[in-house]
């Protein structure tokens, strides 16, 4: 344990912790002791994404400390957009525009063949949901089959805590959920997170208060700004929101579930009405 006690923790998520190292490097360490395959897979994905030219940290090597797997990568200077909103709430409008433009720029990249297919990953997720009626799951799986496959990079967890901004070039973190697919699905997922996602561990009460008030504003500006760079089909977005909402029941936080279930049941109830229902 001394190996970790001597390191400064600079970030954490549901599955991992990040520690500062010397020489401009950081250590990402997974919480579970059986995460070796997960760590190796993420290293491979990061190396693949790095080759595309998208601005991400360079990854160096796999490590195992006290039966916990992880890897060493380049340290990124700057604050996350989430943190900037906490420190300087008056920049929320600017940050939401940066957030949207950056997402649209990521979506311009065609996905390498090594990246998993989005629809296949979602299908696995939908089949693991236990808190919905079987008929809703089957409907969602059929709906998924009807939607476009897509061929571009989808980040998979694009949210304000995963975008580091130093006033010049945003850097994008946490590519463990990256896939090849329809970018509208990625926008739908981001909207669910921004509007309703559970906060990372140890988020300050100040930030929770600020973002609880500003969530709708941030999401609306993100939505309208994104469309300046990549026009969205609202009917398609609505269907992807339904699918991603069902999926988040399998891995999202418990705080998210009431709003997700309300949206899912409303969408399913009105599925034959022909109206566009957005989260």
């Amino acid at each position: 344990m001394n190996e970790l006690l001597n390191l400064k923790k600079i970030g954490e998520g549901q599955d991992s912790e990040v520690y500062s190292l010397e020489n401009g490097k950081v250590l990402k360490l997974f919480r579970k002791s059986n995460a070796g395959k997960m760590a190796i897979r993420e290293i491979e994905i990061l190396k693949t994404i790095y080759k595309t030219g998208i601005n991400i940290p360079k990854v160096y090597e796999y490590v195992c400390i006290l039966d916990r797997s992880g890897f060493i990568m380049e340290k990124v200077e700057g604050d996350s957009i989430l943190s900037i909103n906490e420190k300087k709430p008056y920049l929320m409008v600017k940050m939401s525009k940066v957030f949207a433009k950056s997402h649209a720029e990521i979506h311009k990249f065609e996905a390498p063949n090594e990246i998993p297919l989005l629809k296949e990953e979602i299908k696995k997720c939908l089949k693991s949901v236990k808190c919905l009626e079987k008929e809703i799951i089957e409907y969602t799986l059929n709906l998924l089959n009807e939607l476009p496959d897509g061929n571009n990079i989808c980040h998979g967890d694009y949210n304000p805590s995963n975008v580091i901004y130093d006033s010049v070039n945003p850097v994008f973190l946490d590519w463990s959920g990256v896939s090849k697919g329809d970018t509208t699905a990625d926008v739908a997922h981001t909207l669910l997170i921004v509007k309703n996602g559970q906060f990372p561990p140890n988020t300050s009460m100040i930030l929770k208060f600020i973002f609880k008030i500003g969530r709708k504003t941030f999401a609306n500006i993100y939505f309208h700004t994104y469309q300046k760079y990549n026009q969205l089909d609202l009917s398609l977005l609505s269907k992807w929101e339904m699918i991603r909402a069902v999926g988040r029941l399998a891995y999202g936080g418990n705080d998210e579930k009431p709003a997700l279930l309300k949206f899912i049941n409303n969408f399913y109830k009105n599925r034959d009405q022909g109206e566009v229902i957005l989260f």
Side-chain angles (χ1 to χ4, degrees):
M1 184 60 73
N2 289 337
E3 293 176 83
L4 294 183
L5 289 176
N6 293 331
L7 299 178
K8 179 183 178 182
K9 186 192 293 187
I10 58 174
E12 62 182 315
Q14 291 184 353
D15 299 320
S16 62
E17 298 171 312
V18 179
Y19 296 88
S20 180
L21 302 176
E22 297 178 348
N23 303 320
K25 297 178 181 179
V26 298
L27 165 67
K28 178 173 180 177
L29 207 58
F30 290 89
R31 296 181 187 275
K32 295 181 179 179
S33 59
N34 61 347
K37 290 183 179 179
M38 185 185 300
I40 293 170
R41 177 180 179 274
E42 188 166 345
I43 290 170
E44 293 171 349
I45 286 174
L46 284 169
K47 288 181 176 179
T48 299
I49 298 297
Y50 190 81
K51 291 176 184 177
T52 67
I54 294 175
N55 199 15
I56 70 168
K58 185 176 182 179
V59 64
Y60 296 108
E61 60 183 318
Y62 169 86
V63 296
C64 185
I65 300 176
L66 301 171
D67 292 327
R68 292 176 61 186
S69 295
F71 51 85
I72 295 173
M73 61 182 179
E74 177 186 4
K75 185 176 183 179
V76 179
E77 300 297 337
D79 290 324
S80 70
I81 286 181
L82 187 67
S83 180
I84 292 171
N85 284 335
E86 176 183 19
K87 296 175 181 177
K88 301 175 181 178
Y90 55 87
L91 291 179
M92 182 177 286
V93 172
K94 177 183 177 180
M95 288 299 100
S96 58
K97 291 180 178 179
V98 169
F99 183 71
K101 182 180 179 182
S102 299
H103 204 189
E105 289 175 349
I106 289 173
H107 287 162
K108 292 178 182 178
F109 287 84
E110 187 171 321
N113 291 330
E114 300 92 327
I115 300 300
L117 299 177
L118 173 67
K119 289 176 76 172
E120 291 303 312
E121 295 300 303
I122 292 177
K123 191 177 295 183
K124 295 175 191 174
C125 193
L126 296 178
K127 290 180 178 179
S128 70
V129 174
K130 305 297 183 184
C131 59
L132 282 178
E133 295 88 344
K134 184 178 179 181
E135 60 193 47
I136 297 181
I137 299 295
E138 291 178 351
Y139 166 79
T140 309
L141 286 166
N142 290 332
L143 182 62
L144 176 65
N145 289 333
E146 296 172 6
L147 299 190
D149 294 330
N151 198 40
N152 292 71
I153 288 179
C154 296
H155 181 280
D157 192 17
Y158 190 81
N159 69 75
S161 67
N162 283 336
V163 182
I164 306 297
Y165 185 65
D166 64 358
S167 78
V168 182
N169 296 311
V171 182
F172 311 106
L173 307 180
D174 196 355
W175 290 82
S176 57
V178 69
S179 60
K180 177 179 184 177
D182 181 6
T183 55
T184 303
D186 208 33
V187 173
H189 192 243
T190 290
L191 285 168
L192 293 178
I193 297 172
V194 171
K195 290 182 178 181
N196 187 57
Q198 190 162 296
F199 290 99
N202 299 324
T203 301
S204 72
M205 293 303 296
I206 294 174
L207 182 53
K208 288 181 179 180
F209 177 74
I210 291 171
F211 221 71
K212 185 175 182 179
I213 294 174
R215 265 183 159 173
K216 186 175 181 180
T217 299
F218 189 98
N220 285 340
I221 296 172
Y222 160 78
F223 174 74
H224 291 294
T225 303
Y226 181 92
Q227 293 204 86
K228 292 180 180 179
Y229 303 98
N230 192 4
Q231 190 65 37
L232 294 166
D233 179 328
L234 296 187
S235 177
L236 181 61
L237 177 64
S238 173
K239 293 172 183 176
W240 274 121
E241 282 192 334
M242 170 62 176
I243 291 167
R244 302 314 299 263
V246 173
R248 283 197 70 82
L249 291 176
Y251 58 85
N254 289 330
D255 293 348
E256 302 178 37
K257 290 184 178 180
L260 291 174
L261 288 169
K262 181 179 180 181
F263 170 71
I264 290 165
N265 289 323
N266 184 43
F267 188 103
Y268 184 72
K269 179 181 177 181
N270 295 283
R271 64 192 181 281
D272 298 323
Q273 302 302 314
E275 59 180 306
V276 174
I277 300 173
L278 295 175
F279 184 82

